[in-house]
Amino acid sequence: MDPPIEAFIPTKSYFAGSEVDVADLEQLIRDSNVNDGILVYGLLKEKGIEISYELKHAFLELVCYYNCDEPLDEEWIEERWFKQTQRVKERPRMTWKNSDVAEQCYHEIEPKEPRTYSCIIRGMCKYYQVEKANAIFNDCIANKIQLDVEAFNSIIGIGGMLKESAELLWNFIENNLKLMKERNVEPN
């Protein structure tokens, strides 16, 4: 008998009344299945099933990375290329989904670790929610929370949207690089 090929196995579909468990959410996170992951996460919370801290964090990373949207399938190379070229032509605008699943999950995670803050900052910066990302970043700096290098890179990347002039932007970048040095975060 031939080994099963995962790409040809039918995917499990979920709906509002589905019987789900934590293993389903783990598999959906591994498969980067955002829409079903959001549905299963909601069903687990609704049924009062305990979701581990690590799993909540993995789910937060998934929804922050994809902004609660399903990623384009690997087979759609042309569409991905077209979408990226369109993004370059247009002026960056906020596409972050405010008060959506990512922010709800972020607020549910307790206690918050530095990687939790870093994750939400990276997601907000990627989708141009600059004010909230900068506010969370400044809170972390004020409370001496150790952020990772990617969080600093993300904040530096949106600096042009936060500061009007080149001089202010340069000071902003210099200050963040000094913060990185103080906190022993090596730039990459």
Side-chain angles (χ1 to χ4, degrees), residues 119-182:
C119 180
I120 197 76
I121 290 170
R122 288 191 312 260
M124 287 180 168
C125 290
K126 183 177 179 180
Y127 296 101
Y128 304 111
Q129 177 50 287
V130 295
E131 291 84 14
K132 280 188 181 178
N134 193 44
I136 293 172
F137 178 79
N138 288 332
D139 287 344
C140 290
I141 298 305
N143 295 323
K144 300 189 184 326
I145 296 169
Q146 184 72 19
L147 298 172
D148 63 18
V149 68
E150 295 303 325
F152 277 99
N153 289 344
S154 297
I155 286 292
I156 291 171
I158 62 164
M161 297 176 86
L162 291 168
K163 305 298 177 186
E164 286 88 39
S165 71
E167 187 176 328
L168 290 173
L169 176 60
W170 185 248
N171 289 337
F172 177 76
I173 292 169
E174 278 185 332
N175 290 337
N176 281 311
L177 290 172
K178 287 175 186 173
L179 278 171
M180 290 173 78
K181 184 177 181 183
E182 287 171 14

Side-chain angles (χ1 to χ4, degrees), residues 4 14 28 45 78 88 96 106 119 126 139 152 158:
Y14 299 94
L28 291 168
K45 281 180 28 183
E78 293 85 4
V88 171
W96 177 259
Y106 166 75
C119 180
K126 183 177 179 180
D139 287 344
F152 277 99
I158 62 164

